[in-house]
Amino acid sequence: MRIMVTGGLGFIGSQMVRWLLDNEPDVDIINVDALTYAGNPANVADYADNSRYQWIHASIADRAQMEPCFADKPIDAVINFAAESHVDRSIQSGVPFVATNVLGTQILLELARTYHVPRFLHVSTDEVYGSLGPNGLFRETSPLQPNSPYAASKAAADLLVLAAARTYQQDVVITRCSNNYGPYQFPEKLIPLFVTNGIEGQPWPLYGDGRNVRDWLHVEDHVRAIWAVLNSGKSGQIYNIGGHTEKSNWEIAEDLRAILGLPASVIVPVPDRLGHDRRYAMDAQKITKELGWEPRIAWEDGIASTVAWYQQHEDWWRPLKTGAYREYYRQQYGESGTTRAPSASR
Ligand code: NAD
Ligand code: DAU
């Protein structure tokens, strides 16, 4: 089976690449990645010479670059991870988000149809559903009510994928997952940012009142779910994926403080993210009932091993916190690392 993974040099896509090469001997992978700031060949360095793996440096938003990837040899499935993925960056400018997440997805859908790719799996997110109050869960039938430019671009892509199913009977499936954590996550996201700042002796900028809630899932559980949906999901269907692990950002900070042995003063409240969604939580009964998938990695184990990974892989994350990312971080949080003004994101 020859699978095109897009965005396979990023956090979740690279976990998919490593997991498939380790666990599925009949799978060959063509990894199409544009190598944005979030893409990192080091994420798959141990597999670069594997005869079942190939990286093509191309953008999904560029049809001329993408067409040869499809024309070369038949592809059995596309798994589309490629995206601009960071909400705060989308608040600065939504343009790259529309280019990759919307236009890129449409180009992939059209090429997959032209070259008769039997199945297209689109990796979406719980953020397309918007924000929950203190109770309730997102279901696959919940309305799309995205709030950030990032979430809106993901929702637009989902609609294009569903339109392809309806209009052309294209075989598509969509997964919508909650917040992932684990190794190789770019240190702009909450957990790797706090862990690496903690190791460096830097403060933890906690947005607003810190009571926003996310539903956390280990990245390995996510890629197992994607594999189940790719193989056994029903055509045209959406599958929620969640960890049943709701935590406020304060609780995350407290858990990390306990593991790293840091004082309460490391947590520094900063002005809130614009339009900050209050709570996400997934009802993932459908994937469990239909496909038998369930999370396997408990939060306590997953977060402990994740922190240990960042402690043991300073060579991976230290170079990422210099140069262009350092400039982005200064814009977000100021010289002190804690003076983030709401206007910094406008
Ligand atoms: P990431 O930012 O770590 O990686 C994105 C990858 O896509 C990078 O390797 C980047 O180089 C590549 N890329 C960006 N633009 C591209 C383009 N035009 N063409 C080809 N490659 C391009 O993202 P992630 O956190 O691994 O997320 C992967 C997918 O999963 C995204 O679609 C995201 O919306 C979705 N998702 C993420 C989470 C999460 O918690 N991180 C949760 C649910 C869903
Ligand atoms: O829910 C799935 C989504 O999870 C994915 O679709 C996105 O691609 C992914 O980036 C993630 O989005 P979030 O906005 O939830 O993740 P982030 O790590 O940016 O923030 C998590 C929470 O922590 C959120 O409530 C904002 C808060 N936060 C974040 C940062 C970076 C802070 O309080 N301080 C910070 O410095």
Side-chain angles (χ1 to χ4, degrees), residues 9-12 33-34 36 39 59-60 81 85 100 124 150 154 180:
L9 297 181
F11 166 47
I12 308 173
D33 196 295
T36 68
S59 168
I60 63 165
F81 291 97
S85 69
T100 287
S124 184
Y150 161 71
K154 294 296 289 187
N180 284 212

Side-chain angles (χ1 to χ4, degrees), residues 38-267:
N40 187 349
N43 297 2
V44 292
D46 292 347
Y47 301 80
D49 298 328
N50 190 311
S51 60
R52 296 191 287 123
Y53 172 77
Q54 181 191 10
W55 167 42
I56 297 187
H57 188 183
S59 168
I60 63 165
D62 185 329
R63 195 185 171 102
Q65 287 183 3
M66 288 309 298
E67 182 133 23
C69 306
F70 283 85
D72 181 26
K73 283 189 209 152
I75 290 167
D76 298 301
V78 171
I79 309 179
N80 183 28
F81 291 97
E84 289 293 337
S85 69
H86 194 41
V87 173
D88 291 319
R89 287 180 190 259
S90 82
I91 293 169
Q92 291 182 338
S93 170
V95 173
F97 289 75
V98 174
T100 287
N101 303 1
V102 185
L103 177 64
T105 300
Q106 180 64 15
I107 288 172
L108 284 177
L109 282 166
E110 291 186 10
L111 288 170
R113 273 204 305 283
T114 304
Y115 289 93
H116 309 291
V117 177
R119 174 151 274 204
F120 187 102
L121 187 147
H122 180 68
V123 180
S124 184
T125 167
D126 59 2
E127 297 205 15
V128 298
Y129 297 122
S131 185
L132 289 165
N135 303 307
L137 300 171
F138 294 130
R139 304 208 158 70
E140 287 84 353
T141 50
S142 299
L144 294 179
Q145 292 181 327
N147 291 318
S148 70
Y150 161 71
S153 71
K154 294 296 289 187
D158 285 15
L159 292 176
L160 291 169
V161 174
L162 294 172
R166 176 85 180 172
T167 308
Y168 309 102
Q169 288 75 53
Q170 188 165 357
D171 186 323
V172 299
V173 275
I174 294 177
T175 56
R176 291 181 179 151
C177 189
S178 61
N179 283 61
N180 284 212
Y181 69 97
Y184 298 100
Q185 187 169 27
F186 195 87
E188 65 188 348
K189 305 276 165 61
L190 178 74
I191 289 177
L193 176 68
F194 280 19
V195 173
T196 58
N197 275 13
I199 295 169
E200 288 181 307
Q202 298 295 322
W204 292 352
L206 189 69
Y207 296 172
D209 65 3
R211 304 289 170 202
N212 304 67
V213 171
R214 301 290 184 262
D215 172 0
W216 293 92
L217 180 74
H218 194 278
V219 64
E220 192 177 320
D221 280 329
H222 186 187
V223 306
R224 274 196 312 104
I226 288 172
W227 187 237
V229 172
L230 185 75
N231 285 292
S232 312
K234 289 189 193 133
S235 184
Q237 292 291 303
I238 296 162
Y239 291 89
N240 281 355
I241 305 167
H244 317 304
T245 304
E246 284 189 52
K247 292 212 168 253
S248 72
N249 298 331
W250 261 112
E251 290 173 309
I252 298 278
E254 287 302 312
D255 287 356
L256 293 177
R257 228 165 49 71
I259 297 171
L260 288 163
L262 291 169
S265 57
V266 72
I267 302 171

